[in-house]
Amino acid sequence: MAFMMSTTPGIPPSPSPPTLSQPQPQPPASLPLRTIPGTYGWPLLGPISDRLDYFWFQGPETFFKKRTEKYKSTVFRTNVPPSFPLFVNVNPNVIAVLDCKSFSYMFDMELVEKKNVLVGDFMPSVKFTGDLRTCAYLDTSEPQHSQIKNFAMDILKRSSKTWVPELTANLSTFWDTIEADVSKDGSASYLIPLQKFIFKFLTKCLVGADPASSPKIAKSGYAMLDRWLALQLLPTVKIGVLQPLEEILLHSFAYPSFLVSGDYNQLYQFIEEHGKEVVKRGETDFGLTKEVTIHNLLFVLGFNAFGGFSVFLPSLIGTIASDTTGLQAKIVKEVRENAGSTLSFDSVKNLQLLQSVVYEALRLNPPVPLQFARARKDFQLSSHDSAFDIKKGELLCGFQQQVMRDEKVFDEPDTFKPDRFMKNKELLNYLYWSNGPQTGSPSESNKQCAAKDYVTLTATLLVAYAFQRYDSITGTGTSITALEKAK
C-alpha cells in the first residue's frame, strides 16, 4: 500500500526545508566492481524455499537481514513471493537493494521504469479496478500517467480549503468515541473507529462527497475498502496466522475479484452519483473518460490514501501512546506554546519536535514495506562500498524497514529518536517512505507520492489535536487504555 499523491500551486508547502540539496545517484567510478552475490536457486525449489523463509521460518525482516550478513553485501540476488507453483506467470527473481545509496537508484526514472511493478512482478488482476490499469501501475513514459497524476494533484490542491476543518471535525467524533469507551470499559480498541474516521474524512476531501448521503456507504464503506485491499495484497503479505494454514490458504494463489466486486461496484456508483463535480473535472480539465476518472479516484481514495493511513497512523499513535521517556510532556508543551488556538497547515510548521516525531515514525515503520523498479537499460549501481552491473529488465527490490536503518546514514538506526530530524535536517534527504526522498518534489515525471506533504502535515495535525485535548494518552498500536484530559 502507498500513499497517493504534492506540492503544486495552492497546496500547502512541506514543512521540511526547501533549500536542502537532494542526493542523486552518483557514477560508482571510484568503487570496486563486484559481481552481485546471491542466487535464485534451482527452478521451482529456490523460489519455494525463499517463500517459506520469507513468510514462515524467518519473516521479512530476518529474511533480508540474514542474507545481507551471509553475502556481506546490501545488494544481492534472491527471490521474493509470491512464487510457484500456482503463480506461473510471476518471476520472483529480484536484486535486493538495502542501503540508502543503492536504494536511491529506484527513483531515477532515466534508469528504471515502474510499469506494473507496484507490488513486484506480481500484479493483482485489473478486474479489481474496472479492467484498467490505474496510475500506480503506469510508468512515467506512458501518456496517461501525466494526465492522471496531474488530476490527483489537482484534487489535493482543491481540497486544501476543507482539509483541516474536515480533519478536526472528524477527529472530534473519533476521540469522543474513544473517550466514552475508555470511561465505560477501561480501554478502547481504536482501529475500527480510526478507519471510520479516515474513510469519512478522506471521502469528503478527495471525492467531495459525504458518506452520510448513502446509509450503506456510511456504515460499511471502510470495510468494503478493507476487503478490496486485502484480496489484492494477501499473496504478498505476512499475516501471522497459524502456519501452514497461512501458506496454503493465503499465499498459494491469487484471490478472484468477484469476491469483492459487489463492494467495489457500490463504491464506484457512490462516487459516480455523489462525486460528480470531481469526476466532471477529470473529464473536462484532464481529458479522462468518466470510467478512467472514477476508477483512478477510487484507487487513490482506497488503496493509496485510506490504505496508507490505516497502516501508518496506528503505528504513530502506538509509538507515542506507549512512550515512557517523557516525550508526551514535550509534545504537549510545544503544541500549546506554538500551535495557536486554531490548528492549520501554517501552525504545524512551528511544531519542529512533532514533525520530527512523525518523520522518525515513518523511518522506522514505513507504510509501504517494499519498493520495486525494473531496469530500463543496462547501468551500474553502487552501494556504500561496491559497484554492481544491472542488466535491462532486472527487477530491483528494496525492503524499506532495512534501508531506513542504514547505519552509515542514521546514528543508532534501530532506536526511536524523537528529535533526530530536528538535529539534522539533512537526513530528510534519505527518508524515502514516499517513493522518493522527503525533500523531493512529486511531479508528472516521477512516481513520488503526490500527497507526501499532506501525509506528514495530517499526521502532525492529528497528534497536535490530541494533545490540545489531552495531557496524556496511554495505549498501544491497537488500543487506548487511559486518557488524561487537558487541565
Side-chain angles (χ1 to χ4, degrees):
M1 277 172 282
F3 284 97
M4 57 152 187
M5 314 188 270
S6 176
T7 306
T8 57
I11 291 181
S14 168
S16 59
T19 56
L20 295 181
S21 60
Q22 296 173 38
Q24 299 295 324
Q26 297 297 315
S30 61
L31 294 171
L33 182 63
R34 181 181 178 187
T35 299
I36 299 174
T39 176
Y40 300 131
W42 291 95
L44 296 180
L45 296 180
I48 289 176
S49 175
D50 284 344
R51 167 186 151 182
L52 293 177
D53 278 348
Y54 187 90
F55 283 133
W56 189 349
F57 302 128
Q58 296 176 343
E61 186 174 353
T62 302
F63 176 90
F64 287 109
K65 186 174 182 180
K66 280 189 172 293
R67 283 156 178 76
T68 299
E69 294 169 351
K70 177 181 178 180
Y71 301 123
K72 295 180 172 55
S73 175
T74 52
V75 178
F76 54 84
R77 298 185 186 277
T78 189
N79 299 291
V80 294
S83 60
F84 306 108
L86 296 183
F87 292 92
V88 293
N89 295 318
V90 176
N91 182 355
N93 301 165
V94 301
I95 298 171
V97 287
L98 301 175
D99 63 88
C100 285
K101 190 173 182 182
S102 62
F103 189 70
S104 67
Y105 286 81
M106 298 180 70
F107 313 124
D108 187 334
M109 299 311 298
E110 293 185 1
L111 299 178
V112 302
E113 66 168 338
K114 300 278 188 151
K115 182 178 181 180
N116 297 341
V117 295
L118 179 65
V119 292
D121 195 65
F122 166 71
M123 179 181 172
S125 170
V126 292
K127 292 188 180 299
F128 281 101
T129 51
D131 285 311
L132 58 82
R133 293 164 57 235
T134 55
C135 188
Y137 293 101
L138 300 179
D139 182 58
T140 53
S141 63
E142 298 180 74
Q144 205 168 54
H145 177 271
S146 295
Q147 292 174 277
I148 299 172
K149 189 158 186 182
N150 282 328
F151 171 55
M153 291 192 288
D154 182 72
I155 292 171
L156 279 173
K157 174 183 174 181
R158 292 173 184 270
S159 72
S160 61
K161 294 179 181 179
T162 60
W163 196 272
V164 177
E166 288 294 345
L167 176 69
T168 53
N170 283 280
L171 278 174
S172 178
T173 302
F174 167 73
W175 283 112
D176 285 346
T177 301
I178 300 304
E179 195 173 308
D181 288 348
V182 170
S183 177
K184 178 183 176 184
D185 302 321
S187 67
S189 174
Y190 63 78
L191 294 183
I192 290 179
L194 182 67
Q195 283 206 316
K196 289 180 176 179
F197 143 69
I198 294 169
F199 176 73
K200 183 176 181 180
F201 153 63
L202 289 173
T203 302
K204 294 185 78 171
C205 288
L206 301 178
V207 180
D210 187 346
S213 59
S214 169
K216 178 69 172 177
I217 298 299
K219 180 182 179 182
S220 305
Y222 77 97
M224 293 177 180
L225 288 179
D226 278 336
R227 291 190 289 267
W228 175 72
L229 286 165
L231 290 198
Q232 294 179 74
L233 297 175
L234 277 176
T236 69
V237 178
K238 177 179 171 63
I239 303 298
V241 301
L242 183 66
Q243 292 285 18
L245 295 181
E246 180 172 331
E247 286 312 296
I248 296 170
L249 300 178
L250 301 183
H251 299 149
S252 294
F253 51 86
Y255 279 80
S257 62
F258 74 80
L259 295 173
V260 291
S261 60
D263 289 343
Y264 187 81
N265 290 336
Q266 288 185 64
L267 290 164
Y268 182 98
Q269 291 164 10
F270 171 79
I271 293 176
E272 183 178 31
E273 181 178 353
H274 299 285
K276 291 179 180 178
E277 182 180 340
V278 175
V279 173
K280 188 66 175 177
R281 201 159 59 243
E283 296 178 78
T284 58
D285 293 0
F286 297 93
L288 304 172
T289 66
K290 183 174 76 171
E291 291 73 21
V292 168
T293 301
I294 296 177
H295 288 302
N296 275 279
L297 185 54
L298 186 45
F299 195 92
V300 161
L301 170 66
F303 200 106
N304 299 135
F306 174 82
F309 274 127
S310 293
V311 172
F312 173 55
L313 291 182
S315 72
L316 175 64
I317 293 170
T319 297
I320 295 172
S322 61
D323 181 81
T324 58
T325 67
L327 173 61
Q328 290 193 29
K330 295 176 182 178
I331 295 175
V332 167
K333 184 175 186 295
E334 180 180 65
V335 168
R336 295 181 189 173
E337 288 182 356
N338 300 330
S341 58
T342 303
L343 292 175
S344 67
F345 284 128
D346 287 331
S347 69
V348 297
K349 296 175 190 176
N350 302 318
L351 308 179
Q352 296 295 311
L353 172 62
L354 185 46
Q355 289 174 39
S356 180
V357 167
V358 170
Y359 293 141
E360 183 73 340
L362 283 166
R363 182 184 73 86
L364 289 173
N365 298 291
V368 181
L370 296 169
Q371 292 278 2
F372 296 90
R374 194 176 300 282
R376 198 182 293 275
K377 59 185 179 181
D378 293 356
F379 68 94
Q380 271 196 358
L381 168 150
S382 64
S383 64
H384 292 298
D385 52 25
S386 301
F388 305 88
D389 284 329
I390 306 296
K391 300 300 182 184
K392 179 180 178 179
E394 290 188 308
L395 187 64
L396 306 181
C397 168
F399 180 59
Q400 294 210 76
Q401 196 172 91
Q402 182 169 331
V403 174
M404 294 294 94
R405 287 170 166 78
D406 187 338
E407 62 184 11
K408 294 186 182 300
V409 175
F410 298 102
D411 179 49
E412 295 182 71
D414 294 320
T415 302
F416 179 84
K417 292 189 170 184
D419 60 352
R420 184 186 299 274
F421 293 93
M422 285 180 68
K423 292 182 175 180
N424 186 356
K425 289 184 169 60
E426 288 291 333
L427 291 176
L428 291 171
N429 285 314
Y430 305 97
L431 186 63
Y432 293 129
W433 69 272
S434 63
N435 206 2
Q438 183 62 32
T439 50
S441 297
S443 73
E444 63 186 50
S445 61
N446 64 33
K447 294 296 291 185
Q448 186 161 27
C449 163
K452 76 174 184 67
D453 296 330
Y454 268 62
V455 171
T456 54
L457 288 165
T458 300
T460 305
L461 285 162
L462 180 145
V463 179
Y465 179 92
F467 286 108
Q468 281 187 331
R469 179 164 173 157
Y470 302 106
D471 283 341
S472 71
I473 300 170
T474 305
T476 66
T478 60
S479 64
I480 298 296
T481 56
L483 294 166
E484 182 181 340
K485 288 188 176 180
K487 298 181 180 65

